[in-house]
Amino acid sequence: MVVGKPASAIALGARLSFGTEYRISNNSIKAGLLAASYRRRRFSAKSHYDETVVYKYASQKIRPVSIGQLLKYRRLPLSKDNILDSIAYTQEELPIRLAKRVISFHKQPFIVGTNPHIARVYSQYYEAFDRLHAFAPIKDLDAEWEFTQALERQTRLLIDVIPTIAQGFLECKQYMQREERTAFINELIRSRIGLRVIGEQHVALSYQFREEQKKIEQRGQGIKAQSNGPADVSVTEDASWVGTIHTKLLPARMMEQCGQMVQGMCELHYGTAPGYYVDGDINETISYIPSHFEYITCELLKNAFRATVDFSNKSSRSSHPPIQITITKGDGYVGVRIRDQGGGISKENMRNVFEYSWSSMQADGADEPTASTSSMAGMSMQSNMALQQGIGGPIAGLGFGLPMARLYASYFGGSLDIVPMEGYGCDVFLKLRSIEGSVEEKQI
């Protein structure tokens, strides 16, 4: 059993970001101003030629990549041909996918496009497309490295897409049918996952290749220096990593780390936090992308910690019961059960928990959250490039946590289910298929 640290022992370093809230008012904005805002948004930095280029790329078919293709470089060391093969696909595919996202914004209702948060995301996607499609076909490692650095910068610039788009649709939800809004957001997030997996996988491989070359060079220099003897430098420190994929990820260790972080967030926000412990098959491993695992489980733990503290306050409990995290082994998958005593979820609210822009904070009568108060800070415990968006800020947000967590879980064939017991607590069941187990069936 892995026992979490008590909340009082957590030393938390928090990075808070502040923004300015903007809300569209039907009574204060005239049609002429809306039209002017829309024209500025679409054409201030884009010529007719630029729009034509976007549509040209968007009209092309995407070329899905299988998990097997992502894992084909697992036999290290990586070679120059491996890297050039990876960049050839990445350079050709990403501009097409980015262009399709840009065009998807054009199809939204006029007034939705005038929202500053949605306009900002649109602009970010356009700029990413504009930057990456401009590169000439890459034939050597110097050009590959230049593209890789540009790709890494664009990935970082897109890190706040989800909280920004969440705020935008929270403000514009009255202008779209729920089904239309859900379909757009689902497609945006699925596309974003694919973009990031492909882009981050190449960036990680590129860094990995150069680190290996550096170590090989150091080893050669060590052998040459007879006085010091052969250098004891291995080609790679951890062969379990294939780009951003970890083939021997320990869910129990990840849950311990995520639990510690969320416990600290809860302590910071409420001044108190329940304990937690991890039990079950704590030595079980899985092949997965750590940052995806981290995102899903942190969202689930945030809900469990917040509900436990809130219910303790409502029921006048003298102390918080601990949150139980159980790891189970399955055939080609790992199961995680998170059990809390946070009062459960009512039948009425249960119908809405997987709806975008719905939050139990709003259902409980709390003030409407904003992008500034619910901003996600970047964090990563497994990837030294911190390319995958993480979580931070308040313990509850804009109503995107659970639906996004379920979407992330299902992306590689997993599932997320909640079994509430109203007046007592919730059991959350997370099932994650090993990426290696879905090599033949999953394409990105």
Side-chain angles (χ1 to χ4, degrees):
M1 178 184 295
V2 181
V3 181
K5 298 179 181 179
S8 58
I10 300 296
L12 178 68
R15 183 177 67 183
L16 303 178
S17 62
F18 300 88
T20 302
E21 180 184 359
Y22 180 94
R23 203 171 265 105
I24 293 177
S25 171
N26 288 331
N27 297 325
S28 62
I29 300 181
K30 296 180 180 180
L33 292 178
L34 288 174
S37 173
Y38 183 76
R39 286 193 297 270
R40 285 195 301 271
R41 177 177 67 87
R42 286 198 60 185
F43 301 115
S44 60
K46 295 178 277 296
S47 68
H48 175 72
Y49 173 78
D50 293 325
E51 291 291 317
T52 302
V53 172
V54 174
Y55 276 92
K56 177 183 176 181
Y57 274 84
S59 66
Q60 300 179 45
K61 292 183 179 180
I62 65 172
R63 292 195 301 131
V65 59
S66 69
I67 298 298
Q69 289 173 289
L70 294 181
L71 289 170
K72 68 181 179 180
Y73 303 122
R74 64 185 306 165
R75 292 186 177 181
L76 303 175
L78 291 163
S79 69
K80 173 184 175 181
D81 289 341
N82 294 153
I83 298 303
L84 293 180
D85 179 55
S86 174
I87 194 62
Y89 172 78
T90 304
Q91 184 188 17
E92 180 181 351
E93 187 67 13
L94 291 189
I96 295 173
R97 298 190 182 213
L98 286 167
K100 289 181 181 295
R101 287 305 95 219
V102 171
I103 299 304
S104 71
F105 283 87
H106 292 182
K107 300 176 182 178
Q108 301 314 303
F110 173 85
I111 196 168
V112 173
T114 65
N115 180 276
H117 304 291
I118 294 175
R120 176 186 168 193
V121 173
Y122 167 82
S123 179
Q124 288 175 322
Y125 271 100
Y126 180 87
E127 289 171 8
F129 162 79
D130 195 43
R131 181 73 180 93
L132 296 182
H133 97 276
F135 277 83
I138 294 171
K139 303 297 182 182
D140 57 66
L141 288 177
D142 289 339
E144 180 274 330
W145 183 238
E146 183 181 357
F147 182 91
T148 297
Q149 291 179 307
L151 175 58
E152 184 178 5
R153 285 193 297 270
Q154 292 304 319
T155 305
R156 291 183 184 277
L157 290 175
L158 289 170
I159 201 168
D160 285 329
V161 160
I162 297 305
T164 305
I165 204 75
Q167 182 64 37
F169 276 101
L170 181 65
E171 296 174 3
C172 294
K173 60 183 179 181
Q174 67 268 35
Y175 303 121
M176 297 178 70
Q177 295 293 326
R178 185 179 66 178
E179 293 77 13
E180 295 175 344
R181 187 172 68 248
T182 299
F184 176 82
I185 297 172
N186 277 340
E187 183 57 31
L188 177 72
I189 295 173
R190 286 194 190 97
S191 171
R192 184 175 184 273
I193 295 173
L195 283 165
R196 295 182 74 89
V197 169
I198 294 170
E200 291 173 18
Q201 182 71 1
H202 175 76
V203 171
L205 287 173
S206 184
Y207 273 90
Q208 194 171 341
F209 167 73
R210 284 168 172 80
E211 184 64 23
E212 288 170 6
Q213 294 301 305
K214 181 180 178 181
K215 290 180 179 180
I216 291 172
E217 182 180 345
Q218 290 174 344
R219 184 174 61 182
Q221 291 174 350
I223 293 175
K224 193 173 182 179
Q226 296 293 331
S227 59
N228 295 327
D232 185 18
V233 180
S234 61
V235 171
T236 181
E237 293 181 357
D238 189 353
S240 299
W241 283 97
V242 184
T244 58
I245 300 171
H246 198 293
T247 58
K248 294 182 180 179
L249 184 68
L250 273 168
R253 181 180 299 173
M254 289 291 293
M255 294 304 303
E256 168 66 22
Q257 293 172 330
C258 292
Q260 181 175 339
M261 189 197 73
V262 174
Q263 188 182 56
M265 289 167 55
C266 188
E267 175 75 23
L268 179 69
H269 190 72
Y270 287 104
T272 183
Y276 69 93
Y277 61 94
V278 183
D279 61 14
D281 298 322
I282 60 174
N283 295 318
E284 182 62 18
T285 63
I286 186 176
S287 178
Y288 214 73
I289 299 177
S291 53
H292 286 201
F293 188 101
E294 183 180 351
Y295 174 79
I296 297 167
T297 55
C298 281
E299 284 299 328
L300 300 179
L301 287 172
K302 282 166 62 178
N303 288 332
F305 274 81
R306 172 182 173 255
T308 300
V309 172
D310 284 348
F311 193 64
S312 291
N313 293 336
K314 291 177 182 178
S315 60
S316 300
R317 286 190 299 213
S318 58
S319 61
H320 306 306
I323 293 168
Q324 180 184 12
I325 304 168
T326 303
I327 311 295
T328 62
K329 176 183 179 180
D331 184 14
Y333 72 89
V334 164
V336 179
R337 184 191 66 187
I338 299 175
R339 171 171 287 178
D340 69 64
Q341 297 179 44
I345 304 172
S346 68
K347 290 182 178 180
E348 180 181 358
N349 286 344
M350 191 62 202
R351 290 194 293 266
N352 299 314
V353 293
F354 289 112
E355 294 292 334
Y356 291 110
S357 300
W358 184 89
S359 170
S360 59
M361 288 184 69
Q362 300 169 48
D364 294 340
D367 292 337
E368 186 178 87
T370 69
S372 61
T373 60
S374 297
S375 176
M376 295 180 183
M379 64 110 183
S380 174
M381 297 184 290
Q382 298 295 326
S383 171
N384 63 351
M385 291 177 293
L387 289 180
Q388 174 65 38
Q389 176 180 311
I391 318 134
I395 204 73
L398 290 161
F400 267 51
L402 279 177
M404 271 192 63
R406 185 167 68 170
L407 200 59
Y408 266 83
S410 65
Y411 194 80
F412 291 115
S415 61
L416 173 60
D417 298 289
I418 300 176
V419 179
M421 184 177 291
E422 192 170 357
Y424 183 79
C426 283
D427 279 1
V428 178
F429 296 93
L430 174 65
K431 179 179 177 181
L432 297 177
R433 288 182 60 84
S434 176
I435 284 180
E436 288 185 282
S438 59
V439 164
E440 299 300 328
E441 55 192 76
K442 177 62 185 174
Q443 290 190 321
I444 296 171

